[in-house]
Amino acid sequence: MQLFLDTADYQSIKKLYETGIVDGITTNPTNLRKDGANPKEAIKKICELMQGKPVSVQVTESDLDAIYAQAQEIATISDNVVVKIPCYQPYYPVIQKLLGQNVPLNITLVFSLPQALAMCKLGATYISPFLGRWDDIDADTSALLAEIVDMKNEYDFGTKVLAASLRDVPSVHQAINAGSDVATISPALFEKMLKHPLTEQGMEKFSQDWNKLGISQFP
Ligand code: G3P
């Protein structure tokens, strides 16, 4: 399973990219606004840092022609840009057209199995079920991700399932178990999920025991 960082914060990306386990980035208008920099320049810098790994960048227009033109423009920012478009039924023709022109798309705001099926049928590069936002309004998403993955495998679609809007470590655990192709995770959750209190306790114990030997050089 690939791990993406869900952020536009360059410093966080730089720090966590050094772990060697970051396979891509997802951005959205919210995290680009938080970053506060010129969005195009921010994206360029992130794309360069990611060395060919995918960086999702969302359209902000709402008129069909404008979305189409903007998506093409976004795709030229860098070779590793994936254009993010909401899974909104009126946008289907634009989604189909862009995919037909080999523009890689990450379809965002997916909340149901039929929406996921529709996007797989159009040949989307990625589909992003937003699990946390569904949970926020008290929906039970425990089965949805696994159902989407099963559907994709059952019909042999080439689309990658990208579990998004993950709020806590158990939801990352759930994405791994569901066989999601990708999980996109905020930097804070990314750091949290890699820590374990027993690892830290174990290290402390080894260190204390070793220090008791009183050896200054080893080996
Ligand atoms: O990639 C999806 C993510 O940006 C949405 O997360 O926390 O705003 O629901 P959140």
mmCIF file of all heavy atoms in Angstrom, residues 59 61 63-74 83 85 93-99 101 103:
data_model
loop_
_atom_site.group_PDB
_atom_site.id
_atom_site.type_symbol
_atom_site.label_atom_id
_atom_site.label_comp_id
_atom_site.label_asym_id
_atom_site.label_seq_id
_atom_site.Cartn_x
_atom_site.Cartn_y
_atom_site.Cartn_z
ATOM 1 N N VAL A 59 -8.915 21.188 -8.886
ATOM 2 C CA VAL A 59 -9.481 22.299 -9.652
ATOM 3 C C VAL A 59 -10.307 23.169 -8.698
ATOM 4 O O VAL A 59 -10.829 22.687 -7.696
ATOM 5 C CB VAL A 59 -10.375 21.816 -10.826
ATOM 6 C CG1 VAL A 59 -9.570 21.101 -11.890
ATOM 7 C CG2 VAL A 59 -11.519 20.938 -10.332
ATOM 8 N N GLU A 61 -12.414 25.761 -10.287
ATOM 9 C CA GLU A 61 -13.500 26.332 -11.106
ATOM 10 C C GLU A 61 -14.750 25.478 -10.934
ATOM 11 O O GLU A 61 -14.689 24.338 -10.466
ATOM 12 C CB GLU A 61 -13.084 26.340 -12.582
ATOM 13 C CG GLU A 61 -11.867 27.199 -12.884
ATOM 14 C CD GLU A 61 -12.170 28.692 -12.811
ATOM 15 O OE1 GLU A 61 -13.360 29.047 -12.735
ATOM 16 O OE2 GLU A 61 -11.220 29.486 -12.800
ATOM 17 N N ASP A 63 -17.571 25.972 -13.529
ATOM 18 C CA ASP A 63 -18.174 25.883 -14.860
ATOM 19 C C ASP A 63 -17.422 24.800 -15.668
ATOM 20 O O ASP A 63 -16.197 24.699 -15.577
ATOM 21 C CB ASP A 63 -18.045 27.267 -15.523
ATOM 22 C CG ASP A 63 -18.361 27.229 -16.990
ATOM 23 O OD1 ASP A 63 -19.555 27.268 -17.312
ATOM 24 O OD2 ASP A 63 -17.412 27.130 -17.801
ATOM 25 N N LEU A 64 -18.158 24.007 -16.437
ATOM 26 C CA LEU A 64 -17.540 22.850 -17.102
ATOM 27 C C LEU A 64 -16.351 23.211 -18.002
ATOM 28 O O LEU A 64 -15.299 22.580 -17.936
ATOM 29 C CB LEU A 64 -18.577 22.077 -17.915
ATOM 30 C CG LEU A 64 -19.692 21.370 -17.128
ATOM 31 C CD1 LEU A 64 -20.478 20.445 -18.041
ATOM 32 C CD2 LEU A 64 -19.131 20.592 -15.949
ATOM 33 N N ASP A 65 -16.553 24.252 -18.841
ATOM 34 C CA ASP A 65 -15.452 24.633 -19.741
ATOM 35 C C ASP A 65 -14.255 25.134 -18.943
ATOM 36 O O ASP A 65 -13.096 24.851 -19.278
ATOM 37 C CB ASP A 65 -15.902 25.730 -20.723
ATOM 38 C CG ASP A 65 -16.902 25.173 -21.733
ATOM 39 O OD1 ASP A 65 -16.925 23.930 -21.922
ATOM 40 O OD2 ASP A 65 -17.677 25.976 -22.299
ATOM 41 N N ALA A 66 -14.566 25.872 -17.889
ATOM 42 C CA ALA A 66 -13.485 26.431 -17.072
ATOM 43 C C ALA A 66 -12.742 25.306 -16.336
ATOM 44 O O ALA A 66 -11.517 25.336 -16.223
ATOM 45 C CB ALA A 66 -14.042 27.447 -16.081
ATOM 46 N N ILE A 67 -13.476 24.303 -15.876
ATOM 47 C CA ILE A 67 -12.805 23.166 -15.197
ATOM 48 C C ILE A 67 -11.870 22.471 -16.181
ATOM 49 O O ILE A 67 -10.727 22.142 -15.865
ATOM 50 C CB ILE A 67 -13.833 22.137 -14.667
ATOM 51 C CG1 ILE A 67 -14.656 22.725 -13.539
ATOM 52 C CG2 ILE A 67 -13.137 20.856 -14.200
ATOM 53 C CD1 ILE A 67 -15.755 21.804 -13.049
ATOM 54 N N TYR A 68 -12.388 22.264 -17.386
ATOM 55 C CA TYR A 68 -11.604 21.566 -18.417
ATOM 56 C C TYR A 68 -10.295 22.319 -18.693
ATOM 57 O O TYR A 68 -9.202 21.732 -18.665
ATOM 58 C CB TYR A 68 -12.446 21.440 -19.686
ATOM 59 C CG TYR A 68 -11.739 20.770 -20.824
ATOM 60 C CD1 TYR A 68 -11.332 19.437 -20.737
ATOM 61 C CD2 TYR A 68 -11.475 21.466 -22.007
ATOM 62 C CE1 TYR A 68 -10.670 18.818 -21.787
ATOM 63 C CE2 TYR A 68 -10.821 20.861 -23.063
ATOM 64 C CZ TYR A 68 -10.413 19.533 -22.952
ATOM 65 O OH TYR A 68 -9.758 18.935 -23.988
ATOM 66 N N ALA A 69 -10.426 23.645 -18.903
ATOM 67 C CA ALA A 69 -9.231 24.444 -19.205
ATOM 68 C C ALA A 69 -8.293 24.476 -17.999
ATOM 69 O O ALA A 69 -7.073 24.322 -18.150
ATOM 70 C CB ALA A 69 -9.653 25.864 -19.588
ATOM 71 N N GLN A 70 -8.881 24.637 -16.798
ATOM 72 C CA GLN A 70 -8.036 24.719 -15.609
ATOM 73 C C GLN A 70 -7.305 23.390 -15.355
ATOM 74 O O GLN A 70 -6.127 23.379 -14.990
ATOM 75 C CB GLN A 70 -8.884 25.096 -14.389
ATOM 76 C CG GLN A 70 -8.036 25.448 -13.176
ATOM 77 C CD GLN A 70 -8.862 25.617 -11.903
ATOM 78 O OE1 GLN A 70 -9.936 25.032 -11.758
ATOM 79 N NE2 GLN A 70 -8.359 26.434 -10.989
ATOM 80 N N ALA A 71 -8.005 22.288 -15.558
ATOM 81 C CA ALA A 71 -7.383 20.970 -15.338
ATOM 82 C C ALA A 71 -6.188 20.799 -16.278
ATOM 83 O O ALA A 71 -5.122 20.310 -15.859
ATOM 84 C CB ALA A 71 -8.405 19.862 -15.571
ATOM 85 N N GLN A 72 -6.365 21.211 -17.528
ATOM 86 C CA GLN A 72 -5.243 21.077 -18.477
ATOM 87 C C GLN A 72 -4.065 21.947 -18.049
ATOM 88 O O GLN A 72 -2.913 21.533 -18.135
ATOM 89 C CB GLN A 72 -5.700 21.464 -19.875
ATOM 90 C CG GLN A 72 -6.602 20.398 -20.482
ATOM 91 C CD GLN A 72 -7.000 20.761 -21.889
ATOM 92 O OE1 GLN A 72 -7.415 21.898 -22.133
ATOM 93 N NE2 GLN A 72 -6.879 19.821 -22.796
ATOM 94 N N GLU A 73 -4.412 23.144 -17.590
ATOM 95 C CA GLU A 73 -3.375 24.082 -17.139
ATOM 96 C C GLU A 73 -2.635 23.523 -15.910
ATOM 97 O O GLU A 73 -1.410 23.550 -15.846
ATOM 98 C CB GLU A 73 -4.079 25.408 -16.783
ATOM 99 C CG GLU A 73 -3.177 26.561 -16.445
ATOM 100 C CD GLU A 73 -2.517 27.160 -17.677
ATOM 101 O OE1 GLU A 73 -2.956 26.884 -18.820
ATOM 102 O OE2 GLU A 73 -1.555 27.885 -17.481
ATOM 103 N N ILE A 74 -3.401 22.989 -14.962
ATOM 104 C CA ILE A 74 -2.787 22.418 -13.746
ATOM 105 C C ILE A 74 -1.845 21.273 -14.128
ATOM 106 O O ILE A 74 -0.744 21.149 -13.590
ATOM 107 C CB ILE A 74 -3.885 21.925 -12.756
ATOM 108 C CG1 ILE A 74 -4.616 23.113 -12.124
ATOM 109 C CG2 ILE A 74 -3.294 21.035 -11.667
ATOM 110 C CD1 ILE A 74 -5.825 22.739 -11.270
ATOM 111 N N VAL A 83 -4.498 15.683 -11.439
ATOM 112 C CA VAL A 83 -5.535 16.704 -11.230
ATOM 113 C C VAL A 83 -6.684 16.110 -10.426
ATOM 114 O O VAL A 83 -7.177 15.014 -10.725
ATOM 115 C CB VAL A 83 -6.047 17.242 -12.589
ATOM 116 C CG1 VAL A 83 -7.098 18.325 -12.357
ATOM 117 C CG2 VAL A 83 -4.887 17.790 -13.417
ATOM 118 N N ILE A 85 -10.492 16.239 -9.134
ATOM 119 C CA ILE A 85 -11.812 16.779 -9.512
ATOM 120 C C ILE A 85 -12.875 16.123 -8.638
ATOM 121 O O ILE A 85 -12.850 14.907 -8.440
ATOM 122 C CB ILE A 85 -12.124 16.493 -11.006
ATOM 123 C CG1 ILE A 85 -11.073 17.150 -11.893
ATOM 124 C CG2 ILE A 85 -13.521 16.972 -11.389
ATOM 125 C CD1 ILE A 85 -11.393 17.154 -13.368
ATOM 126 N N PRO A 93 -18.880 14.514 -17.755
ATOM 127 C CA PRO A 93 -18.377 14.656 -19.138
ATOM 128 C C PRO A 93 -16.950 15.206 -19.193
ATOM 129 O O PRO A 93 -16.147 14.774 -20.023
ATOM 130 C CB PRO A 93 -19.362 15.645 -19.773
ATOM 131 C CG PRO A 93 -20.601 15.533 -18.940
ATOM 132 C CD PRO A 93 -20.134 15.234 -17.535
ATOM 133 N N VAL A 94 -16.645 16.150 -18.293
ATOM 134 C CA VAL A 94 -15.287 16.718 -18.287
ATOM 135 C C VAL A 94 -14.287 15.659 -17.807
ATOM 136 O O VAL A 94 -13.187 15.534 -18.355
ATOM 137 C CB VAL A 94 -15.203 17.941 -17.330
ATOM 138 C CG1 VAL A 94 -13.818 18.523 -17.320
ATOM 139 C CG2 VAL A 94 -16.206 18.985 -17.718
ATOM 140 N N ILE A 95 -14.707 14.909 -16.805
ATOM 141 C CA ILE A 95 -13.836 13.849 -16.277
ATOM 142 C C ILE A 95 -13.507 12.861 -17.405
ATOM 143 O O ILE A 95 -12.354 12.489 -17.639
ATOM 144 C CB ILE A 95 -14.520 13.143 -15.073
ATOM 145 C CG1 ILE A 95 -14.580 14.107 -13.887
ATOM 146 C CG2 ILE A 95 -13.820 11.845 -14.705
ATOM 147 C CD1 ILE A 95 -15.413 13.630 -12.696
ATOM 148 N N GLN A 96 -14.563 12.470 -18.129
ATOM 149 C CA GLN A 96 -14.377 11.513 -19.232
ATOM 150 C C GLN A 96 -13.428 12.080 -20.299
ATOM 151 O O GLN A 96 -12.524 11.393 -20.772
ATOM 152 C CB GLN A 96 -15.740 11.210 -19.850
ATOM 153 C CG GLN A 96 -15.669 10.159 -20.923
ATOM 154 C CD GLN A 96 -17.041 9.815 -21.470
ATOM 155 O OE1 GLN A 96 -17.936 10.656 -21.504
ATOM 156 N NE2 GLN A 96 -17.215 8.593 -21.903
ATOM 157 N N LYS A 97 -13.648 13.361 -20.639
ATOM 158 C CA LYS A 97 -12.831 13.990 -21.682
ATOM 159 C C LYS A 97 -11.353 14.056 -21.266
ATOM 160 O O LYS A 97 -10.455 13.710 -22.047
ATOM 161 C CB LYS A 97 -13.368 15.408 -21.910
ATOM 162 C CG LYS A 97 -13.056 16.006 -23.250
ATOM 163 C CD LYS A 97 -13.979 17.184 -23.455
ATOM 164 C CE LYS A 97 -13.394 18.242 -24.327
ATOM 165 N NZ LYS A 97 -14.204 19.451 -24.382
ATOM 166 N N LEU A 98 -11.121 14.466 -20.033
ATOM 167 C CA LEU A 98 -9.731 14.596 -19.568
ATOM 168 C C LEU A 98 -9.045 13.231 -19.496
ATOM 169 O O LEU A 98 -7.889 13.086 -19.909
ATOM 170 C CB LEU A 98 -9.688 15.282 -18.197
ATOM 171 C CG LEU A 98 -10.024 16.779 -18.216
ATOM 172 C CD1 LEU A 98 -10.364 17.265 -16.807
ATOM 173 C CD2 LEU A 98 -8.863 17.602 -18.791
ATOM 174 N N LEU A 99 -9.767 12.237 -18.999
ATOM 175 C CA LEU A 99 -9.177 10.899 -18.928
ATOM 176 C C LEU A 99 -8.883 10.369 -20.328
ATOM 177 O O LEU A 99 -7.866 9.716 -20.560
ATOM 178 C CB LEU A 99 -10.099 9.941 -18.159
ATOM 179 C CG LEU A 99 -10.168 10.188 -16.639
ATOM 180 C CD1 LEU A 99 -11.309 9.400 -16.011
ATOM 181 C CD2 LEU A 99 -8.835 9.830 -15.957
ATOM 182 N N GLN A 101 -7.904 12.057 -22.681
ATOM 183 C CA GLN A 101 -6.671 12.715 -23.158
ATOM 184 C C GLN A 101 -5.479 12.361 -22.270
ATOM 185 O O GLN A 101 -4.470 13.066 -22.265
ATOM 186 C CB GLN A 101 -6.888 14.228 -23.174
ATOM 187 C CG GLN A 101 -7.902 14.637 -24.226
ATOM 188 C CD GLN A 101 -8.337 16.087 -24.091
ATOM 189 O OE1 GLN A 101 -7.923 16.781 -23.174
ATOM 190 N NE2 GLN A 101 -9.169 16.519 -25.005
ATOM 191 N N VAL A 103 -5.033 12.693 -19.118
ATOM 192 C CA VAL A 103 -4.714 13.558 -17.977
ATOM 193 C C VAL A 103 -5.011 12.723 -16.727
ATOM 194 O O VAL A 103 -6.138 12.273 -16.539
ATOM 195 C CB VAL A 103 -5.583 14.844 -17.980
ATOM 196 C CG1 VAL A 103 -5.307 15.679 -16.735
ATOM 197 C CG2 VAL A 103 -5.352 15.648 -19.253
#
